[in-house]
């Protein structure tokens, strides 16, 4: 495990927790069928002890079975592993556990009913863990051919260093990537490098800068830092102002990572779970409000679409279609230029905001004041394009108009339905720089507790229409 990357180690831990739950389920099923099996064999179903009287088996089997399987390599190279190899490792692992439990059973003097639970439990463990392996392997192989799930990366260094680095990295690791660019730091300009990160919507850059001038590497890392893109460096340490240096590995290749976004962790995993579950629950609880909005929009504008979809910039600037209840006239986007000329803009910078926007029809103004127009974004959260809490997603043309590269760092996390700007009364903030500053402060200090506090602040903001436009 010394050369295992954090992402791989995290995945293994998730699988081990799932397998521990399946071991518990297997013995529960074994205890469930114990009575019918003893009846079938002509034995007294009430005469023998069941799982309730031998809980020590669960205390031993549930935590230690995944650990034994990890020792045997059951969680390694799942995508490339054959069913025969996985079955062999499972059988050996269960044999080790059976030996340990058998020794305990002898000392505990367990009867026939208990042996039946143990025997059936072993069979169920084998079947359930093998089924879990098959499902996981199938999922990983499907991701292999689906580019939408692959990570977009840029490899930087000299041409020879890039080729050498890619040859050293294991094929199983590279299959999870789309190499969106190979950038020669010796001949290319830093401006071209920054533009490449922006145009390709990459999530990390892998540097192999052995033969590259230190100053050029530092400038390239600074560009990654400003845009919120992870920089993975296979050589010397570089000082940074925002990014936090950590060590990781790609296969057997040690890496120094300069990360200015929240690191993969159980807390981040729980955020994903809370997002998906929370979105589903909120859609169910607010279903009557959706009906109210749909009927109102239909009556206000017969024949016009109920929903409004617009391309917004997601994580790392990757476009996605964001949904809202329509609150403007159908040709609102075509009228935007004229509205700007006639009424100006209440926000400075590239973002457009206007409190009394004439394109908004009366019922749409009510939806906006109550923030009901934002509800369809819960569908985006369910799909994984957005989070409940995060920087607000901006239209692509507004992102293109960013004047400073460090503004793009707000794109380094998933956009959200609410944020500090949204929950804190956005009528009071007209400076785009202040808005970005709030988003970057959120990114740099992110925690589940911070998300919870922002959600709590959002409730009164929505109920009282505080700052809604």
């Amino acid at each position: 495990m010394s050369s295992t990357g954090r992402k791989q180690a995290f995945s293994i831990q998730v699988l081990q927790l799932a397998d521990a739950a399946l071991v518990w389920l297997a013995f529960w099923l074994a205890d469930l069928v114990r009575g019918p099996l003893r009846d079938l064999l002509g034995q007294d179903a009430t005469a023998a002890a069941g799982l309730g009287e031998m809980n020590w088996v669960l205390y031993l089997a549930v935590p230690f079975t995944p650990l034994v399987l990890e020792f045997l390599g059951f969680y390694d190279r799942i995508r490339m592993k054959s069913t025969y190899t996985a079955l062999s490792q499972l059988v050996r692992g269960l044999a080790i556990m059976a030996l340990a439990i058998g020794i305990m059973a002898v000392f505990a003097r367990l009867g026939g009913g208990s042996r039946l639970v143990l025997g059936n439990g072993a069979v169920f463990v084998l079947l359930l863990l093998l089924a879990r392996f098959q499902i996981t392997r199938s999922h990983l192989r499907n991701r292999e051919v689906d580019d939408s799930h692959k990570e977009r990366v840029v490899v930087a260094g000299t041409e020879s260093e890039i080729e050498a680095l890619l040859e050293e990295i294991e094929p199983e690791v590279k299959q999870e990537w789309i190499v969106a660019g190979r950038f020669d730091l010796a001949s290319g300009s830093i401006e071209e490098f920054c533009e490449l990160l922006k145009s390709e919507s990459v999530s990390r850059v892998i540097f192999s800068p052995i033969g590259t001038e230190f100053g050029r590497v530092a400038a390239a890392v600074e560009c990654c830092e400003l845009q919120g893109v992870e920089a993975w460096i296979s050589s010397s340490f570089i000082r940074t102002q925002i990014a936090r240096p950590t060590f990781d590995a790609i296969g057997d290749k040690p890496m120094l990572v300069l990360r200015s976004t929240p690191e993969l962790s159980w807390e981040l995993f729980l955020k994903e779970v809370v997002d998906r579950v929370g979105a589903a629950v909120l859609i169910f609880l607010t279903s009557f409000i959706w009906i109210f909005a749909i009927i109102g929009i239909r009556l206000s504008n017969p024949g016009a679409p109920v929903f409004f979809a617009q391309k917004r910039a997601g994580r790392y600037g990757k476009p996605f279609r964001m949904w809202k209840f329509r609150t403007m006239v159908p040709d609102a986007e075509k009228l935007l230029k004229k509205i700007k000329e006639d009424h100006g803009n209440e926000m400075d910078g590239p973002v457009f905001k206007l409190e009394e926007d004439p394109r908004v029809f009366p019922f749409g103004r009510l939806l906006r004041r109550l923030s009901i127009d934002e509800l369809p974004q819960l569908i985006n959260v369910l799909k994984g394009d957005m989070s409940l809490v995060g920087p607000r997603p901006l239209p692509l043309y507004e992102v293109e108009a960013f004047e400073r590269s460090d503004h793009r760092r707000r794109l380094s996390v998933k956009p959200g339905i609410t944020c500090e700007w949204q929950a804190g009364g956005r009528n009071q903030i007209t400076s785009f720089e202040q808005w970005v500053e709030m988003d970057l402060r959120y990114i740099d200090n992110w925690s589940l507790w911070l998300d919870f506090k922002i959600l709590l602040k959002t409730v009164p903001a929505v109920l009282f229409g505080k700052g809604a436009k």
Side-chain angles (χ1 to χ4, degrees):
M1 290 289 292
S2 59
S3 63
T4 301
R6 290 174 182 262
K7 185 176 181 180
Q8 183 181 349
F10 180 75
S11 299
I12 290 175
Q13 290 170 5
V14 171
L15 292 178
Q16 287 179 314
L17 282 176
D19 286 354
L22 289 176
V23 170
W24 179 89
L25 176 62
F27 280 100
W28 180 81
L29 290 172
D31 188 53
L32 193 66
V33 302
R34 175 182 60 90
L37 281 178
R38 288 184 65 84
D39 286 337
L40 189 64
L41 296 173
Q43 300 175 359
D44 184 4
T46 62
L51 190 60
E53 298 180 38
M54 42 186 289
N55 281 329
W56 62 269
V57 173
L58 295 178
Y59 298 145
L60 188 64
V62 170
F64 287 103
T65 299
L67 295 178
V68 170
L69 291 175
E70 181 185 5
F71 176 77
L72 295 173
F74 180 66
Y75 301 102
D76 296 337
R77 304 177 184 274
I78 294 175
R79 185 191 291 106
M80 310 296 293
K81 187 177 296 183
S82 67
T83 301
Y84 174 80
T85 302
L87 182 60
S88 173
Q89 291 170 335
L90 271 175
V91 169
R92 281 186 288 151
L94 293 181
I96 293 172
M97 291 304 303
L99 179 62
I101 293 174
I103 293 173
M104 293 290 293
V106 169
F107 284 107
R109 298 180 181 179
L110 298 181
S114 298
R115 288 196 299 269
L116 196 59
V117 171
L118 292 176
N120 289 333
V123 173
F124 281 123
V125 168
L126 180 65
L127 293 176
L128 289 175
L129 294 191
L130 186 60
R132 200 276 304 152
F133 164 80
Q134 296 281 18
I135 292 170
T136 304
R137 185 181 63 176
S138 176
H139 171 69
L140 292 175
R141 289 181 175 178
N142 287 337
R143 286 173 64 98
E144 205 173 32
V145 297
D146 185 0
D147 287 349
S148 66
H149 291 290
K150 293 185 178 180
E151 183 181 11
R152 297 179 65 81
V153 303
V154 164
V155 185
T158 64
E159 286 294 331
S160 59
E161 290 166 1
I162 291 172
E163 288 298 329
L165 176 64
L166 291 176
E167 286 178 5
E168 291 174 4
I169 295 172
E170 299 168 349
E172 186 170 340
V173 175
K174 289 187 289 187
Q175 285 170 349
E176 298 181 1
W177 296 347
I178 294 176
V179 179
R182 302 184 182 197
F183 191 85
D184 191 338
L185 284 173
S187 60
S189 70
I190 297 302
E191 290 74 20
E192 291 173 340
F193 176 77
C194 295
E195 186 60 33
L196 176 63
L197 302 190
K198 177 181 174 182
S199 62
E200 295 296 337
S201 300
V202 300
S203 59
R204 64 169 151 168
V205 178
I206 303 166
F207 289 92
S208 182
I210 300 172
T212 307
E213 180 185 351
F214 183 85
R216 294 184 65 80
V217 177
V221 170
E222 183 181 5
C223 182
C224 294
E225 184 179 12
L226 289 175
Q227 296 197 28
V229 176
E230 291 184 5
W232 291 56
I233 305 173
S234 61
S235 60
S236 57
F237 178 77
I238 298 177
R239 296 177 64 88
T240 61
Q241 295 178 353
I242 303 172
R244 300 172 296 279
T246 57
F247 287 96
D248 210 319
I250 298 177
D252 293 328
K253 191 76 174 177
M255 289 283 175
L256 176 64
V257 186
L258 304 174
R259 182 180 285 114
S260 55
T261 54
E263 186 179 355
L264 180 68
S265 63
W266 281 108
E267 202 173 18
L268 206 58
F269 175 74
L270 285 175
K271 177 181 173 70
E272 287 282 340
V273 173
V274 170
D275 281 342
R276 304 296 178 91
V277 175
V281 171
L282 286 172
I283 289 174
F284 174 75
L285 294 178
T286 60
S287 56
F288 69 98
I289 301 178
W290 290 56
I291 296 171
F292 165 74
I294 291 171
I295 293 174
I297 294 170
R298 285 291 190 199
L299 293 176
S300 300
N301 289 266
V306 169
F307 295 99
F308 170 73
Q310 185 182 52
K311 284 289 186 70
R312 296 287 179 108
R315 192 178 186 193
Y316 301 116
K318 184 178 180 180
F320 74 99
R321 189 175 295 276
M322 191 191 79
W323 293 92
K324 298 179 73 173
F325 281 123
R326 194 171 61 83
T327 58
M328 292 185 175
V329 294
D331 57 347
E333 292 193 290
K334 295 179 182 179
L335 298 173
L336 178 59
K337 184 176 180 181
K338 180 173 175 53
I339 293 296
K340 287 182 177 179
E341 293 173 354
D342 295 345
H343 299 273
N345 185 3
E346 294 177 359
M347 289 283 291
D348 63 7
V351 178
F352 175 73
K353 293 292 176 185
L354 187 63
E355 185 171 0
E356 298 297 332
D357 194 324
R359 297 173 298 168
V360 181
F361 54 84
F363 185 74
R365 200 171 302 282
L366 172 66
L367 295 181
R368 287 189 167 204
R369 188 164 62 250
L370 299 176
S371 296
I372 294 174
D373 62 315
E374 311 280 3
L375 285 178
Q377 289 164 47
L378 292 170
I379 297 173
N380 291 116
V381 177
L382 273 180
K383 291 173 61 180
D385 295 326
M386 293 178 63
S387 176
L388 292 177
V389 181
R392 287 294 296 160
L394 298 177
L396 297 181
Y397 61 83
E398 291 185 354
V399 172
E400 289 296 325
F402 282 180
E403 295 179 355
R404 293 170 45 184
S405 293
D406 56 338
H407 288 166
R408 285 188 61 87
R409 193 159 72 87
R410 72 185 301 278
L411 304 175
S412 61
V413 297
K414 274 188 184 181
I417 294 180
T418 187
C419 59
E420 287 192 273
W421 172 77
Q422 191 93 352
R426 49 198 186 274
N427 268 337
Q428 303 169 8
I429 299 172
T430 59
S431 167
F432 179 68
E433 290 292 337
Q434 187 179 353
W435 183 2
V436 172
E437 182 182 337
M438 293 175 73
D439 286 337
L440 297 186
R441 186 168 64 242
Y442 166 78
I443 294 171
D444 293 338
N445 298 283
W446 177 82
S447 68
L448 273 180
W449 174 240
L450 179 58
D451 275 7
F452 182 67
K453 288 194 293 185
I454 291 174
L455 287 171
L456 286 180
K457 287 171 64 178
T458 301
V459 174
V462 170
L463 291 178
F464 299 109
K466 184 181 179 183
K469 296 183 180 181

